[in-house]
Amino acid sequence: LVFTEEDKYGLYSNLLFKYFLAEGIVCGHDLFVASAKEHPDNILKELPAPLLDDACRKELEDEAAAVKNPEGSQDSMKIAWRYQNLPKMETSPTTYTKFGHYYDISKKMSPELCQSVKWHSFYLHEELSSEPEVKTWNMNSGYARLLQSIHRIISQEGFDGSDPQKKPRNILRIGIQSLGSVLWGDDVCCSDAPEDPHSLTKFLYVLRGLLRKSLSACIVTMPAHLIQNKAIMERVTNLSDMVVGLESFIGSERETNPLYKDYHGLVHVRQIPRLNSLICDVSDTKDLAFRLKRKLFTIE
């Protein structure tokens, strides 16, 4: 369970969310997308286009060259003629390392590629209008519906390991957008003492149980900056495996700070998974920043 604290305007966390789903499509995983804000069909139409290996190498090298030499290379080639045709030596560690896939955020993923995998959607307003409200497990009805849908897909599509001989095994990638926001019918973002402070933690507890016993991974984004009750955020962190926070510079004094002039925000790694261990891991690198280039979103 990967938990992402949204940046103030949700611009960059939304991008991270789409990267997670796009990687699922490129890897051939099944998708389950849940939202109360934006229709899942629209989210899937907006996924970034994958860069194939050769194009990817070229894009990354172009981006790296643009960063190193933004003014252009007309005046940078004044070197002695006898060095000109020597093979270039790599002085720093190679800039290109392949991990997963890379995406061009200036282009949309082709509809053919999107349709190549099975995906399921959960749009809260459609779900609530189709059936009368039910309050099960002493939980907010939106969360209860979402858990029922996830459970149904895990069991019906065989992600719980049932009939492994009959079905080819695959992974289910679950994306839940802006959980805990007012649109889900939860008031944890509205007041310091919400009426129903435990719905969210119950939901995450059950969700984590479903993830543990099935072949599935989940990303949840949440407007954590709106939650005034810090105890709720502590519980949410404890119920997640990995917690990452995005802090955007938009509208803050850091936007004009020369130290951060090349970046658009900071990445806070709050928690890293240590499965089957009682202690939590602490990241070696504390100072991570992200920037949104023309085509790539990078964390450095």
Side-chain angles (χ1 to χ4, degrees):
L1 177 60
V2 180
F3 182 83
T4 309
E5 297 172 7
E6 294 177 7
D7 51 290
K8 203 176 278 182
Y9 300 103
L11 294 173
Y12 303 106
S13 55
N14 207 15
L15 207 51
L16 217 58
F17 185 75
K18 287 174 180 171
Y19 265 94
F20 179 86
L21 298 175
E23 185 69 13
I25 289 180
V26 174
C27 295
H29 299 158
D30 285 20
L31 296 187
F32 177 94
V33 186
S35 178
K37 181 167 70 171
E38 199 179 345
H39 201 288
D41 297 5
N42 296 339
I43 294 173
L44 289 163
K45 281 177 194 158
E46 296 286 314
L47 296 184
L51 290 167
L52 299 168
D53 286 355
D54 296 339
C56 175
R57 185 181 282 269
K58 187 171 184 321
E59 289 287 348
L60 289 175
E61 284 169 357
D62 289 353
E63 289 281 3
V67 169
K68 280 180 190 160
N69 191 13
E71 284 80 32
S73 55
Q74 306 90 292
D75 55 347
S76 64
M77 295 307 290
K78 296 171 182 168
I79 55 173
W81 61 272
R82 69 193 188 96
Y83 296 127
Q84 266 180 348
N85 296 320
L86 285 176
K88 285 192 177 69
M89 292 298 287
E90 195 64 76
T91 51
S92 61
T94 51
T95 52
Y96 176 80
T97 50
K98 187 84 173 75
F99 177 76
H101 298 88
Y102 292 91
Y103 299 88
D104 180 348
I105 48 179
S106 64
K107 297 190 182 112
K108 303 279 177 279
M109 189 180 280
S110 68
E112 299 78 45
L113 189 54
C114 280
Q115 297 305 326
S116 65
V117 300
K118 269 181 89 170
W119 54 273
H120 315 271
S121 64
F122 178 97
Y123 186 48
L124 184 67
H125 304 300
E126 286 178 357
E127 299 291 328
L128 291 178
S129 59
S130 63
E131 292 172 51
E133 189 168 316
V134 285
K135 203 161 172 89
T136 47
W137 309 317
N138 267 345
M139 194 190 292
N140 168 320
S141 64
Y143 297 160
R145 290 270 165 79
L146 180 52
L147 281 174
Q148 284 166 350
S149 291
I150 293 172
H151 184 257
R152 188 177 65 246
I153 281 150
I154 283 174
S155 55
Q156 287 177 3
E157 305 288 328
F159 293 108
D160 54 358
S162 60
D163 297 335
Q165 291 81 24
K166 292 180 188 168
K167 294 175 182 156
R169 301 191 87 177
N170 201 354
I171 288 170
L172 177 67
R173 273 188 190 234
I174 302 165
I176 304 171
Q177 190 184 50
S178 286
L179 192 75
S181 75
V182 183
L183 296 168
W184 284 94
D186 198 346
D187 59 347
V188 289
C189 290
C190 307
S191 72
D192 198 10
E195 279 177 42
D196 190 6
H198 301 297
S199 265
L200 185 61
T201 43
K202 279 180 196 163
F203 171 81
L204 288 172
Y205 187 78
V206 179
L207 173 65
R208 200 169 168 189
L210 286 172
L211 296 176
R212 284 283 184 275
K213 69 181 189 65
S214 63
L215 290 168
S216 50
C218 176
I219 188 169
V220 173
T221 73
M222 185 182 283
H225 58 280
L226 297 177
I227 297 179
Q228 294 133 31
N229 189 329
K230 294 295 167 248
I232 291 174
M233 277 314 298
E234 286 287 328
R235 288 180 212 136
V236 165
T237 302
N238 290 336
L239 286 166
S240 307
D241 295 311
M242 172 131 194
V243 181
V244 177
L246 296 182
E247 181 193 338
S248 165
F249 293 158
I250 299 171
S252 77
E253 68 276 6
R254 284 179 172 164
E255 196 171 18
T256 52
N257 186 331
L259 180 67
Y260 297 119
K261 68 180 191 302
D262 294 333
Y263 299 100
H264 296 117
L266 298 176
V267 179
H268 304 288
V269 180
R270 312 250 192 242
Q271 185 170 293
I272 295 176
R274 282 289 287 269
L275 299 179
N276 305 320
S277 170
L278 292 174
I279 57 165
C280 63
D281 195 13
V282 179
S283 162
D284 300 335
T285 314
K286 289 282 184 210
D287 44 351
L288 293 171
F290 63 81
R291 67 166 126 197
L292 182 57
K293 300 176 187 173
R294 193 167 52 88
K295 296 186 175 183
L296 299 170
F297 176 78
T298 60
I299 294 174
E300 298 170 10

